[in-house]
Amino acid sequence: QVQLVESGGGLVQAGGSLRLSCAASGRTFSSRFMGWFRQAPGKEREFVAATRWSGGTTYYADSVKGRFTISRDNAKNTVYLQMNSLKPEDTAVYYCAAQPKRGYWYPDYDYWGQGTQVTVSS
């Protein structure tokens, strides 16, 4: 079992920044990938970014590439999502997830956090 707890969401003006955190506990070593997803009202959950616990390549949705950065601190079992140059269309509930069942970009993971709201005002 893996438990995930997100934090760091909030209200920010367009152009601003936020950093989301995802603290993991439990059998985190069993998860190859950690991902961030988001879901806006009336829309499907979509991939934002992913990284391997072991480090190396990071992956991003085209819509956030160059603005968002995913990173991890293995000692703290925490994954971060630094979000810069935020836009109103980034408004959504953001979820972290562990252990994808298929590709890392599918919203089909074994473990999910409770989500944290990010609201970007124009």
Side-chain angles (χ1 to χ4, degrees), residues 4 17 34 46 56 58 60 63 97 99 110 113 119 122:
L4 305 172
S17 299
M34 294 292 294
E46 65 174 3
T58 53
Y60 297 95
S63 58
Q99 199 162 307
D110 281 333
T119 303
S122 57

Side-chain angles (χ1 to χ4, degrees), residues 48-72:
V48 174
T51 185
R52 296 177 183 268
W53 268 120
S54 60
T57 308
T58 53
Y59 306 88
Y60 297 95
D62 288 343
S63 58
V64 306
K65 203 170 292 184
R67 299 188 298 123
F68 290 11
T69 302
I70 188 171
S71 62
R72 84 229 176 277

Side-chain angles (χ1 to χ4, degrees), residues 6-106:
E6 301 103 333
S7 61
L11 173 64
V12 64
Q13 288 189 332
S17 299
L18 283 174
R19 188 178 79 156
L20 306 183
S21 300
C22 174
S25 60
R27 295 172 63 87
T28 55
F29 60 86
S30 66
S31 178
R32 294 179 296 113
F33 278 95
M34 294 292 294
W36 283 99
F37 290 79
R38 65 186 182 186
Q39 189 166 19
K43 294 188 177 181
E44 295 185 349
R45 192 167 297 188
E46 65 174 3
F47 170 73
V48 174
T51 185
R52 296 177 183 268
W53 268 120
S54 60
T57 308
T58 53
Y59 306 88
Y60 297 95
D62 288 343
S63 58
V64 306
K65 203 170 292 184
R67 299 188 298 123
F68 290 11
T69 302
I70 188 171
S71 62
R72 84 229 176 277
D73 184 334
N74 290 30
K76 295 181 179 180
N77 274 354
T78 300
V79 176
Y80 303 98
L81 185 68
Q82 178 66 44
M83 306 186 295
N84 298 329
S85 302
L86 283 162
K87 305 175 181 179
E89 51 263 44
D90 293 320
T91 295
V93 177
Y94 283 70
Y95 299 89
C96 69
Q99 199 162 307
K101 296 179 182 178
R102 293 185 279 170
Y104 61 83
W105 60 94
Y106 284 105

